[in-house]
Amino acid sequence: MERASRSPYVILADLTLVTMLTMYVEAMVIPSLPRIQSALAATNEEAAWVVTAYLVVGAAVAPLFGKMGDVYGKKRLYMIALSFYSTAVLTAGFAPNIFALIAARAVQGFGFTLFPLGLSIITDTFPRRLVAVAQGILSAMVAIGMTIGMIAGAYIEEYLGWRAMFHIAFGLSIVMLVASLIVLESYPPVSHERIDYASTVLLSLGTALVLLYLTEAPYRGWITIAQLPLLITGVALYLSFFIYETRSTRTLIRLDLLKQRNVMVANIAGLVSGVAMFMLYLGVIYFAEESPPYGLGLSVIGAAMSLLPATLAMIVISPLVGHATSTLGPKPVLIYGSLVSTIGFLLFVVNRSGPLQLAIDSFVTGVGIVSIMVPIVNMIAVSVPADSVTVSLEFNTMVRFLGSSVGPVLAATLLTTYRAHLPFEFSGRLFMFSEGSGVAFNYIFYIGALASLATLVISLFTKNYVLRQRRNITAI
């Protein structure tokens, strides 16, 4: 494999800043949705699509961009994705209506592919013994970017307006576009086979329809006439994809790789742990902002600050987790992360009486989550051939975000189903208002704990290995 002549740490710095930027943009939208909805006269369902459009398109195109990265070169696809993303961020800031904003956010979905492409570039850039550490640092940027985005987004929206969020993000994205063009090496293609677009269409459409079903479930129901065709067609397309792949000579994703024990463990664990990760973010934010006595009644900024300990934990812990993955292997690290994450979610159930308690719980759970993320990524990177690394990482990212998409749906359903009614007085008159009850939050955190326990069970099937030398993998 051709090594990069430029310092790998300069390349890592560029990749981490781009990842942090994209997650910052995605997170900054969340606290501003009510203002955006009001400004553009949108319904609740339309406003929800401002967030969902990014996820649907991103998950749908991820495997294709991964395969194209292997065939045409990773830097080329990285720059194409970042260019699409930057243009869409600029367009979003000038959107005249909610539908134009949703369309711009959909194009921003190409930014979804930047994180797994970055992971693949790291695999080509660093010696094997340092790959997990570098991947851990890049993975931590997901949480860091989300936390910064929630805090900074709330400030910018409050003082400059929601359009300014996108204008500022566009300026930053152009800086990173130029930096990436200069810093990244021209990684040669590692595969020369033609891309099978038929299988790409099957997988992409299936993913999009399943995500549409999950997104619309809180508004249209789980088993309604309008919803069931989305789910049935999506599942049918998935089945068609796997059947087609067994007969095609030009596969998008080699099914024999997906059958490898560690690749299968990484994908299943990624799906399940994705639910846990978003239960952490949504549970903390919703609970912190909910009015007393069922929440803490914090501001948007205060709620985002509650996640700061989890973010700090990921900054400090992720390189250590990467080092442990290299020296001890992914199996013990996955088991450790799953146990700590489970304990963290259970702490939320019994210990959330104030901001300090919430911050402590977030810290513990954050340590667990990052200890799951890093070995999953490393297992994919070291288990597949060089000509399949990028597409396999993109596929794993798609699977993890499918799991993540379940989190908002479950949280919204629980908060709608289990509500408390409280009186309040206004202008001498007594009114009633409803909010998510303590039972709803307990269930949210219990689901996070169950997802973490399920990840623990899955991790027991990992075939452990230790990266003792640059190119040697020793099985344990």
Side-chain angles (χ1 to χ4, degrees):
M1 181 182 297
E2 184 177 312
R3 302 293 301 171
S5 59
R6 194 166 283 115
S7 169
Y9 296 102
V10 173
I11 295 173
L12 177 61
D14 178 79
L15 297 175
T16 55
L17 289 174
V18 171
T19 298
M20 187 166 64
L21 171 66
T22 55
M23 296 313 301
Y24 158 81
V25 173
E26 299 325 302
M28 77 179 186
V29 173
I30 296 174
S32 303
L33 272 182
R35 297 282 182 88
I36 295 175
Q37 179 179 348
S38 176
L40 298 180
T43 65
N44 289 337
E45 187 174 353
E46 291 168 348
W49 272 101
V50 173
V51 176
T52 304
Y54 169 86
L55 181 62
V56 171
V57 173
V61 303
L64 173 62
F65 262 58
K67 188 67 174 181
M68 293 175 71
D70 288 330
V71 173
Y72 299 115
K74 298 177 181 67
K75 180 178 179 178
R76 180 179 299 179
L77 268 295
Y78 197 87
M79 297 309 301
I80 290 173
L82 189 52
S83 298
F84 272 113
Y85 186 78
S86 301
T87 303
V89 170
L90 173 65
T91 306
F94 294 100
N97 54 56
I98 190 65
F99 302 106
L101 180 58
I102 291 172
R105 292 283 298 154
V107 178
Q108 285 179 38
F110 285 93
F112 180 99
T113 66
L114 291 168
F115 175 64
L117 279 170
L119 291 171
S120 182
I121 290 173
I122 283 175
T123 305
D124 285 353
T125 303
F126 281 81
R128 276 285 179 105
R129 65 184 184 277
L130 297 177
V131 165
V133 177
Q135 289 173 338
I137 294 172
L138 190 65
S139 298
M141 292 302 112
V142 174
I144 295 168
M146 289 186 69
T147 304
I148 293 175
M150 290 182 184
I151 298 172
Y155 273 109
I156 295 172
E157 195 278 331
E158 180 70 24
Y159 296 106
L160 299 176
W162 67 271
R163 293 185 186 276
M165 297 189 309
F166 289 105
H167 297 329
I168 294 172
F170 171 70
L172 295 174
S173 68
I174 291 300
V175 172
M176 294 315 306
L177 183 67
V178 174
S180 298
L181 185 63
I182 297 172
V183 169
L184 297 182
E185 296 284 339
S186 297
Y187 301 95
V190 292
S191 175
H192 300 286
E193 62 180 321
R194 294 174 58 191
I195 297 174
D196 189 340
Y197 291 101
S199 60
T200 300
V201 170
L202 291 173
L203 180 60
S204 298
L205 284 180
T207 300
L209 289 175
V210 170
L211 286 172
L212 284 172
Y213 169 80
L214 291 172
T215 301
E216 294 293 320
Y219 306 100
R220 301 187 180 185
W222 293 91
I223 54 174
T224 60
I225 299 287
Q227 281 289 95
L228 283 179
L230 294 175
L231 178 62
I232 294 171
T233 306
V235 172
L237 287 170
Y238 274 143
L239 293 175
S240 300
F241 166 78
F242 285 108
I243 293 172
Y244 182 88
E245 288 285 271
T246 61
R247 301 177 179 178
S248 174
T249 58
R250 295 183 288 108
T251 60
L252 176 67
I253 300 171
R254 288 171 49 187
L255 295 186
D256 61 317
L257 296 180
L258 295 180
K259 293 177 183 178
Q260 287 187 18
R261 187 199 298 182
N262 278 8
V263 176
M264 183 177 294
V265 167
N267 284 321
I268 298 175
L271 180 70
V272 177
S273 63
V275 178
M277 184 175 72
F278 264 70
M279 283 302 184
L280 167 63
Y281 280 95
L282 293 171
V284 171
I285 291 294
Y286 286 161
F287 178 77
E289 292 186 25
E290 197 78 70
S291 299
Y294 300 108
L296 299 182
L298 302 180
S299 65
V300 173
I301 296 173
M305 292 296 290
S306 299
L307 285 170
L308 190 58
T311 304
L312 295 175
M314 293 183 179
I315 295 173
V316 175
I317 296 297
S318 57
L320 300 178
V321 173
H323 179 70
T325 301
S326 297
T327 56
L328 301 177
K331 186 172 183 176
V333 179
L334 268 174
I335 292 173
Y336 166 81
S338 302
L339 284 172
V340 173
S341 178
T342 302
I343 293 171
F345 277 112
L346 293 178
L347 282 175
F348 280 117
V349 177
V350 299
N351 181 54
R352 60 173 193 250
S353 59
L356 177 60
Q357 290 79 4
L358 201 65
I360 293 172
D361 301 344
S362 298
F363 177 85
V364 174
T365 312
V367 170
I369 293 294
V370 77
S371 300
I372 293 172
M373 291 173 58
V374 175
I376 284 177
V377 169
N378 188 254
M379 287 164 64
I380 295 289
V382 304
S383 300
V384 301
D387 62 356
S388 298
V389 169
T390 309
V391 68
S392 298
L393 286 170
E394 294 276 8
F395 182 83
N396 179 256
T397 302
M398 182 196 76
V399 169
R400 284 190 286 125
F401 272 78
L402 277 173
S404 299
S405 68
V406 175
V409 175
L410 290 175
T413 302
L414 290 170
L415 290 171
T416 302
T417 303
Y418 299 96
R419 301 193 67 80
H421 301 278
L422 298 173
F424 74 100
E425 186 176 341
F426 180 74
S427 298
R429 299 181 62 185
L430 190 64
F431 297 89
M432 297 292 292
F433 75 97
S434 63
E435 62 179 9
S437 68
V439 173
F441 287 110
N442 283 343
Y443 283 154
I444 287 174
F445 295 127
Y446 277 134
I447 290 174
L450 287 174
S452 299
L453 278 176
T455 304
L456 171 61
V457 174
I458 296 165
S459 67
L460 296 177
F461 294 91
T462 303
K463 183 178 181 180
N464 205 35
Y465 57 81
V466 174
L467 302 175
R468 298 189 185 280
Q469 298 177 4
R470 175 182 249 179
R471 295 181 179 272
N472 294 333
I473 302 176
T474 302
I476 296 179

